[in-house]
Amino acid sequence: MKVKPGLLKLILRILKLTIILFFGISIFWVILYRFVNPPVTWLMISRGFERKADGKDWKIDKKWIDFDSIADPMKRAAVAAEDQKFLDHFGFDFKAMERAIDKNAHSHKLIGGSTISQQTAKNVFLWQGRSYIRKGFEAYFTLLIEIFWSKKRIMEVYLNEIEMGDGIYGVEAASQAYFHKSAADLNQHEAAAIASIWPDPLKWSPTHPSGYVQHRQYLIRKNMRRLGPLDF
């Protein structure tokens, strides 16, 4: 079937316009969130519908706390637990990715090699999943936030948007729920306990940890002591 030149020209024009709109909207979105705190994420909405499907009430427990108000142990615990090269890389830790790929090739339990920047891009701008398409968008938004945000802003958004339990998001809501205090007042052990459940916050508890989670908390505290100054 031969495509008419006029139709082909129209298709190419629409495709070009779509690409321009995508880049324009996505860049504007990222720059906007440099100054405006994200009100909600796709994960929060999808989890809310999951709760409703299970017969539970809609719940998004989220309390924003400014970066400078978050206790230093919480920031150190985040870096120690998730991305010890956070302040040195430009969004990607390729050695961590290689280690994750190698381990996943020999294990039924998948582990991730995502940096804090990648997780922030996924949590704020994208849906959950492991498809190559989503991973491609994740890489794109990771580059954008590394270009347009500071490391301080990336960490601030990360700590305020990350899933921390059933309907609980961000370290302030988590601190209030688990330790009945503000994230401004967390000590080293409490911060490590919160960071220890991030890989599976719907199953793990910082206050009633399994033996495995207790070991994670120990390793996080150990890494916190090894970290040098965190210059945000």
Side-chain angles (χ1 to χ4, degrees):
M1 180 178 176
K2 189 175 181 180
V3 180
K4 294 181 179 180
L7 179 59
L8 179 59
K9 190 174 182 179
L10 177 61
I11 293 173
L12 291 175
R13 185 176 297 174
I14 292 173
L15 181 59
K16 181 180 178 180
L17 180 61
T18 301
I19 292 173
I20 292 173
L21 282 174
F22 168 73
F23 282 108
I25 292 171
S26 59
I27 291 172
F28 172 78
W29 194 7
V30 170
I31 293 175
L32 177 67
Y33 278 178
R34 176 180 177 179
F35 306 102
V36 177
N37 299 330
V40 70
T41 66
W42 293 114
L43 176 63
M44 295 175 191
I45 294 172
S46 63
R47 290 286 194 246
F49 281 114
E50 288 174 11
R51 284 180 58 87
K52 293 294 288 184
D54 291 338
K56 301 177 182 177
D57 293 333
W58 183 277
K59 179 184 177 183
I60 298 179
D61 185 3
K62 176 176 176 286
K63 301 177 180 68
W64 188 274
I65 183 170
D66 291 338
F67 180 87
D68 291 334
S69 297
I70 300 172
D72 286 338
M74 189 68 255
K75 301 165 190 172
R76 294 183 70 83
V79 174
E82 297 294 302
D83 186 1
Q84 295 177 41
K85 297 181 180 179
F86 173 64
L87 293 174
D88 300 320
H89 62 61
F90 194 71
F92 306 93
D93 185 345
F94 295 104
K95 289 185 178 180
M97 290 182 187
E98 290 175 3
R99 288 195 299 270
I101 292 171
D102 183 62
K103 288 184 178 180
N104 291 338
H106 302 89
S107 174
H108 295 294
K109 186 175 182 180
L110 297 179
I111 65 169
S114 296
T115 63
I116 285 175
S117 300
Q118 288 174 275
Q119 293 180 51
T120 303
K122 176 189 70 176
N123 291 342
V124 175
F125 299 102
L126 301 172
W127 64 97
Q128 299 299 299
R130 292 183 176 274
S131 69
Y132 288 112
I133 292 175
R134 195 200 61 75
K135 278 292 184 183
F137 281 120
E138 178 186 299
Y140 170 69
F141 278 102
T142 298
L143 286 174
L144 287 186
I145 65 174
E146 284 284 348
I147 292 170
F148 292 109
W149 296 4
S150 64
K151 288 290 188 178
K152 179 178 178 179
R153 179 59 174 169
I154 293 173
M155 179 62 76
E156 180 180 45
V157 174
Y158 176 75
L159 290 176
N160 276 284
E161 302 295 335
I162 190 169
E163 186 175 27
M164 285 301 318
D166 188 10
I168 302 172
Y169 303 92
V171 294
E172 177 65 14
S175 183
Q176 297 282 0
Y178 297 122
F179 297 109
H180 311 293
K181 61 168 64 175
S182 171
D185 301 318
L186 290 170
N187 60 37
Q188 179 178 316
H189 286 263
E190 293 162 344
I194 287 176
S196 71
I197 70 168
W198 285 344
D200 202 345
L202 298 182
K203 293 183 179 179
W204 296 347
S205 168
T207 52
H208 300 91
S210 64
Y212 176 75
V213 175
Q214 285 182 329
H215 184 62
R216 278 185 56 82
Q217 294 175 7
Y218 162 75
L219 292 177
I220 291 169
R221 291 195 300 270
K222 187 176 180 180
N223 287 335
M224 288 169 69
R225 291 190 293 269
R226 289 178 175 177
L227 287 175
L230 298 181
D231 186 13
F232 289 99

